[in-house]
Amino acid sequence: MIEKLATQVSLPQLPSDQDASGRTLGDEEIRLLADVIEKGVLTSTKGNYVREFEQKFAQRLGVKHAYCTSHGTAALHVAYAAIDPEPGDEFITTSITDMGALTPILYQGAIPVFCDVDPRTLNVTAETIERAISPRTKAIIVTHLFGQPCDMGPIMELAIARGIPVIEDCAQAFGASYKGRAVGTMGDIACFSLQQGKHITTGEGGVVVTNRDDLGRRSYLYINKAWGYGDPKPDHYFLALNYRMNELTGAVALAQLGKLDMSVDSRVERAHQLTKSLRGLPGIGLPDFGPEYFHTFWKYCLTVDDSIVPGGAVGLAKILKEQYGIFSAPRYIQKPAFRCQIFAERVTFGKSQFPFTLARPEALDYSERLFPGTFKGLNDVLVLPWNENYTRQHVAFIADSIKASLETLKG
Ligand SMILES: *Cc1c(COP(=O)(O)O)cnc(C)c1O
């Protein structure tokens, strides 16, 4: 017992994105926040910070429109509402994502149709998407999970051939690109999140971006209760919510945007260090998918082949935590999204089960045999927390700990 405590005390403490240790918050944020308070203009309908952030964010990405929202979930809801599905229309999406990317589909009266993923990346592919397309498909959502871009070439080819709009969920993929094209600029509309644990943060917040004027206009309106600000005869044009970001958040967002490159560069550099250190370990898959992908490492994921590594990802995570104080998440979200109660039992509005009541039965077939990549991917994945304040020493410690843990598992 005493021996164990002694080793724990000497272990390095990794910075965490859940507090200042793993974030880039500092004087710039405080200065801009103080300015908002002193001016007393806290709403973005009157202030300039949210607008300035939107302009700079759009400029950075090279897109025509960027609008801030209260949350990433709100940004996704806005994008779905901009697409304007009829009740019962289908949105193809991934079985492995944040629930905030799924519930707004139901709020718009549409049906999430889950497609399988590549078990190595946990990302959707053109092949898995194609199998889920039906005459009712209204949009395809691609999620660049963990900062790893999806294989967008074949996906866009398929979507364009079928005339289906693509929504990119870039919540985990700030700064990522595919064949030199930034994620968020390849589909029709895209969303980002500024939640506590993302590449840059305002605690809560989101951004929706698009090059399409029609989707930009509908997004702007949806965020603003569909009130036609600035129009000659403004009205509330359609059913919509207030999803605005406030100026306090906008001020922090603006300061954080200036640190995005640093966050991305640091994460990528340290990730390459870890990949190099772990190369060649039997049974371990590394996030190394070829030069066409610029992965920006929201998290660092390994795959652990449990036919080679006894105990698999769960076993490795246990030793990392117990022996080295390193927390990791085997199985990421634990189970595919469709196994959550909301989908498995269709718990929505009262007892109605709306909008599932409008769905084709095949669209609600969540049989395990249809999702081999999802189950394999979740079984094998080990998600290591990652942030921009990891040093070379932290990463060397993680690498050494993983190697030693694998030795222990081999027995
Ligand atoms: C974080 C996240 C969201 C939701 O964003 P919030 O800001 O937490 O509402 C949606 N999709 C993905 C992939 C995410 O990681």
Side-chain angles (χ1 to χ4, degrees):
M1 184 69 192
I2 288 170
E3 213 174 53
K4 196 153 192 198
L5 271 179
T7 50
Q8 278 175 1
V9 167
S10 63
L11 292 172
Q13 187 80 31
L14 295 173
S16 163
D17 63 16
Q18 298 304 296
D19 60 44
S21 67
R23 308 280 42 191
T24 55
L25 300 160
D27 293 344
E28 183 70 358
E29 285 77 3
I30 292 170
R31 193 172 65 74
L32 299 189
L33 264 177
D35 184 57
V36 174
I37 296 288
E38 279 159 19
K39 291 204 172 93
V41 182
L42 273 59
T43 171
S44 58
T45 57
K46 299 287 187 310
N48 290 318
Y49 279 108
V50 168
R51 191 164 313 137
E52 189 178 339
F53 173 86
E54 289 170 344
Q55 284 164 358
K56 291 209 161 125
F57 197 83
Q59 220 165 39
R60 245 189 96 89
L61 269 182
V63 291
K64 278 166 90 173
H65 310 282
Y67 297 111
C68 288
T69 58
S70 56
H71 304 82
T73 300
L76 286 154
H77 194 177
V78 169
Y80 305 159
I83 298 284
D84 201 20
E86 295 298 324
D89 278 353
E90 298 172 2
F91 280 47
I92 294 173
T93 187
T94 172
S95 50
I96 303 177
T97 186
D98 186 278
M99 194 51 71
L102 300 174
T103 46
I105 302 172
L106 297 167
Y107 274 101
Q108 275 316 110
I111 311 296
V113 177
F114 294 101
C115 69
D116 202 17
V117 300
D118 180 334
R120 295 170 316 134
T121 59
L122 278 68
N123 274 341
V124 298
T125 67
E127 210 180 14
T128 64
I129 291 166
E130 186 162 24
R131 276 185 255 140
I133 293 177
S134 88
R136 299 211 66 180
T137 304
K138 184 73 174 178
I140 295 164
I141 303 164
V142 300
T143 306
H144 307 292
L145 210 63
F146 305 120
Q148 161 68 31
C150 294
D151 189 5
M152 289 301 282
I155 290 175
M156 289 312 299
E157 216 170 281
L158 171 68
I160 289 165
R162 303 293 184 96
I164 305 168
V166 170
I167 301 159
E168 291 181 79
D169 184 344
C170 306
Q172 305 183 357
F174 281 92
S177 58
Y178 171 84
K179 295 187 175 167
R181 293 192 62 185
V183 302
T185 66
M186 290 174 276
D188 293 80
I189 188 165
C191 301
F192 293 81
S193 164
L194 298 166
Q195 186 267 339
Q196 174 79 40
K198 304 295 160 83
H199 285 75
I200 51 172
T201 186
T202 58
E204 305 287 351
V207 195
V208 58
V209 303
T210 181
N211 272 316
R212 278 180 52 178
D213 294 336
D214 58 336
L215 295 181
R217 174 67 178 162
R218 279 192 62 87
S219 295
Y220 170 79
L221 288 170
Y222 198 82
I223 292 166
N224 288 285
K225 300 175 243 181
W227 179 252
Y229 284 97
D231 288 0
K233 280 193 199 150
D235 197 354
H236 294 287
Y237 301 133
F238 53 81
L239 177 66
L241 294 158
N242 176 359
Y243 273 156
R244 284 193 290 265
M245 180 181 279
N246 66 66
E247 285 288 289
L248 295 163
T249 306
V252 177
L254 188 60
Q256 282 280 286
L257 189 59
K259 301 170 181 178
L260 178 54
D261 287 337
M262 176 262 153
S263 172
V264 166
D265 291 350
S266 168
R267 285 164 184 260
V268 170
E269 192 182 328
R270 298 293 174 243
H272 289 168
Q273 182 195 340
L274 186 58
T275 300
K276 226 186 251 171
S277 309
L278 298 180
R279 200 159 274 150
L281 292 172
I284 299 296
L286 300 171
D288 201 2
F289 303 110
E292 59 270 44
Y293 299 98
F294 185 64
H295 181 335
T296 57
F297 293 92
W298 177 58
K299 308 281 178 195
Y300 187 107
C301 293
L302 301 169
T303 55
V304 184
D305 182 344
D306 58 12
S307 70
I308 297 171
V309 178
V314 172
L316 179 55
K318 189 160 179 282
I319 300 189
L320 281 172
K321 177 162 151 269
E322 286 176 0
Q323 303 284 317
Y324 305 99
I326 297 173
F327 286 85
S328 61
R331 305 192 60 81
Y332 182 43
I333 54 168
Q334 302 311 307
K335 55 189 180 190
F338 52 74
R339 286 277 168 92
C340 294
Q341 219 166 307
I342 172 178
F343 294 106
E345 295 172 25
R346 302 176 195 169
V347 192
T348 55
F349 303 97
K351 295 194 176 63
S352 72
Q353 299 197 344
F354 179 88
F356 292 112
T357 43
L358 306 177
R360 295 178 302 124
E362 313 85 72
L364 304 180
D365 186 352
Y366 304 147
S367 308
E368 188 163 341
R369 69 184 159 75
L370 298 176
F371 299 93
T374 299
F375 285 92
K376 167 93 175 124
L378 287 176
N379 180 71
D380 290 358
V381 75
L382 182 68
V383 183
L384 294 167
W386 208 248
N387 64 65
E388 55 275 16
N389 291 351
Y390 277 23
T391 63
R392 288 198 73 78
Q393 289 71 33
H394 291 135
V395 173
F397 168 66
I398 295 169
D400 291 344
S401 303
I402 290 171
K403 287 181 201 164
S405 301
L406 289 171
E407 286 302 313
T408 310
L409 282 172
K410 270 198 273 174

